[in-house]
Every structure is written in C-alpha cells, then in structure tokens.
Amino acid sequence: MIAAADARDHTADEEELVVNDRTCIVSRKTFDPHELIRFVAGPQGQIVPDLKRQLPGRGCWVKAERDLVELAIKRKLFARALKRDVKAEPDLGLMVERLLITDLIGMMSMARKAGQFISGAMKVDNAVRTGEAVGVFHAADAAADGVRKIDQARKAWRLGTDAEEEIPSFRLFSAAEMDELMGQNAFIHAAALAGQAGEGVVKRATMLETYRNGGHSEANGGAGRSDT
C-alpha cells in the first residue's frame, strides 16, 4: 500500500523545484499523485522511472501518459526540471510501460494468493452478480460470447444496486501475451475481488490502460477503491 508519506515531498531539495511534486513537467498541470509517474536521475545521470516513489534524490513528475513521457524526452524537460545534465533514453516510454505491466502482474499474483483474484467465466460471473468483483479482466482475444455474458452481469449488477457506474472491465493482453507474462496463471476471464490487493490490481490496470490510451480508460466504469 502507498503510505501517506509517499504523497508528501520526498526531500527538502524537491521543495525547491519551480514545479512541485504533483505538477506534470509537460502539461504544467497539477494532478493527484496517483495519476503521475515520478522520475529521478540515476548514478550515471540516466533518467529512471520511480513507480514506487521510493528512490532518493530530486524527482520530477509526468502525467501517466506515454505521449507525455515522449514529449518530455523530445523537449529535454527532465534536465530542466531536475536542474542537471541528464540523459533520457529514446525508449524510456516503452520502459515505463513494461514497468507498469510488471507491477500489474505482480499485484495480480499477490491478489491471487490473498484470495482476491479469481479466474474462470462462471466464477467471474458469480463474483460480479454478488458484488464481490471490483474489476473484471478478459484476454484481448477472448470469445465475444463469453465477454458479452459477463458484460450482461455487470449491467445487471449496476441496475440492481443503482450504482453510478458499472464494474470496470479491462482487456489489456492477448491470451498469448498472458501465457508469456503469467505462465500457469494466465486466464481468459478473471475478476479482482474487494480487498486491498484486489483493489490494487484495478488501480494498476487503470494506470496501464490510461498510459497506453493517452490519458483515457476504456474500462467502462469506475476503478480503484483504495490507495493500495
């Protein structure tokens, strides 16, 4: 879980920055810190993504969108924000995406061990209809009929509870990609269940999706019910 301290300034040096630790150095707009990615300079002056916000030293922030990371590289904004000569690798945007994927897969594994991540169409359908699910996941190439049935369950839950939004639904990886990323834990249909770990899965899935989609999520509903 992200501690309250992570939302504060990391060092006294950071407080001296023209942009504060919650301002995107590209858009110059202030966001909730959970919508931003922190970057620091490594020992050799290379720009390093700090997803957990734990690395020491002066940091700067970019809204979690790949296009904005690419712009920060192109406009040399990392050097300006960190007030030193730094090097941002051309593939930094891809590196961030891979780290977000690793973080998500790790949280899925943690949630599974905690009994807060299940797979199988029938289990997912039941979790949705009983309100246990806080997010559903499908392989990007899952059969349309299986996805449709779970979508119907999501809609029925929302109508039955007068919820403002449906349980979010994500299609982030193909079945083949999940086989490579998750091995025997790969799935066609899955659900994150209520609880710290399950909600952490939804939060990370939302960040990955918005990072890929220019700041927009196609999850069809609210996401992330905690600061896990």
Side-chain angles (χ1 to χ4, degrees), residues 105-137:
I105 298 302
M107 183 54 71
M108 285 179 172
S109 177
M110 184 180 299
R112 189 183 293 274
K113 291 176 182 177
Q116 295 172 21
F117 194 81
I118 60 172
S119 57
M122 292 183 65
K123 290 181 180 179
V124 173
D125 186 278
N126 182 67
V128 170
R129 292 183 185 277
T130 59
E132 293 179 89
V134 294
V136 300
F137 298 80

Side-chain angles (χ1 to χ4, degrees), residues 39-49 69 72-74 76-80 82-93 95:
F39 293 86
V40 299
Q44 307 303 318
Q46 74 277 22
I47 291 297
V48 178
V69 174
I73 299 169
K74 181 178 180 180
K76 304 184 186 306
L77 297 180
F78 291 112
R80 185 185 305 174
L82 296 175
K83 299 181 180 180
R84 60 172 290 186
D85 185 24
V86 296
K87 180 180 181 181
E89 297 294 337
D91 65 348
L92 181 62
M95 181 193 306

Side-chain angles (χ1 to χ4, degrees), residues 1-7 34 51-53 203-204 227-228:
M1 186 168 107
I2 298 175
D6 291 330
H34 299 120
L51 297 188
K52 296 185 182 299
R53 309 170 196 174
K203 190 188 77 172
R204 285 161 176 77
D227 292 336
T228 306

Side-chain angles (χ1 to χ4, degrees), residues 158-172:
R158 183 177 68 83
L159 293 174
T161 60
D162 290 327
E164 293 184 3
E165 298 176 324
E166 291 179 2
I167 296 166
S169 176
F170 300 91
R171 303 183 73 170
L172 300 169

Side-chain angles (χ1 to χ4, degrees), residues 6 24 47 56 59 63 70 77 80 87 100 102 104 117 119 135-136 147-148 151 182 203 206-207 228:
D6 291 330
C24 172
I47 291 297
K63 179 76 162 53
E70 305 286 0
L77 297 180
R80 185 185 305 174
K87 180 180 181 181
L100 290 172
T102 299
L104 171 60
F117 194 81
S119 57
V136 300
V147 175
R148 178 181 56 79
D151 281 348
M182 306 176 72
K203 190 188 77 172
T206 301
M207 176 168 276
T228 306

Side-chain angles (χ1 to χ4, degrees), residues 11-109:
T11 65
D13 286 341
E14 282 189 294
E15 295 177 355
E16 298 174 1
L17 287 173
V18 176
V19 290
N20 65 43
D21 69 346
R22 297 186 185 187
T23 299
C24 172
I25 64 173
V26 182
S27 69
R28 310 294 292 185
K29 295 179 181 179
T30 300
F31 297 95
D32 184 290
H34 299 120
E35 300 178 81
L36 299 161
I37 296 172
R38 183 175 186 259
F39 293 86
V40 299
Q44 307 303 318
Q46 74 277 22
I47 291 297
V48 178
D50 180 20
L51 297 188
K52 296 185 182 299
R53 309 170 196 174
Q54 295 176 343
L55 296 178
R58 187 189 299 272
C60 61
W61 301 74
V62 178
K63 179 76 162 53
E65 299 177 23
R66 183 165 177 172
D67 288 348
L68 294 182
V69 174
E70 305 286 0
L71 277 175
I73 299 169
K74 181 178 180 180
R75 298 177 181 174
K76 304 184 186 306
L77 297 180
F78 291 112
R80 185 185 305 174
L82 296 175
K83 299 181 180 180
R84 60 172 290 186
D85 185 24
V86 296
K87 180 180 181 181
E89 297 294 337
D91 65 348
L92 181 62
L94 177 60
M95 181 193 306
V96 171
E97 180 168 340
R98 288 174 174 168
L99 288 173
L100 290 172
I101 290 171
T102 299
D103 194 31
L104 171 60
I105 298 302
M107 183 54 71
M108 285 179 172
S109 177

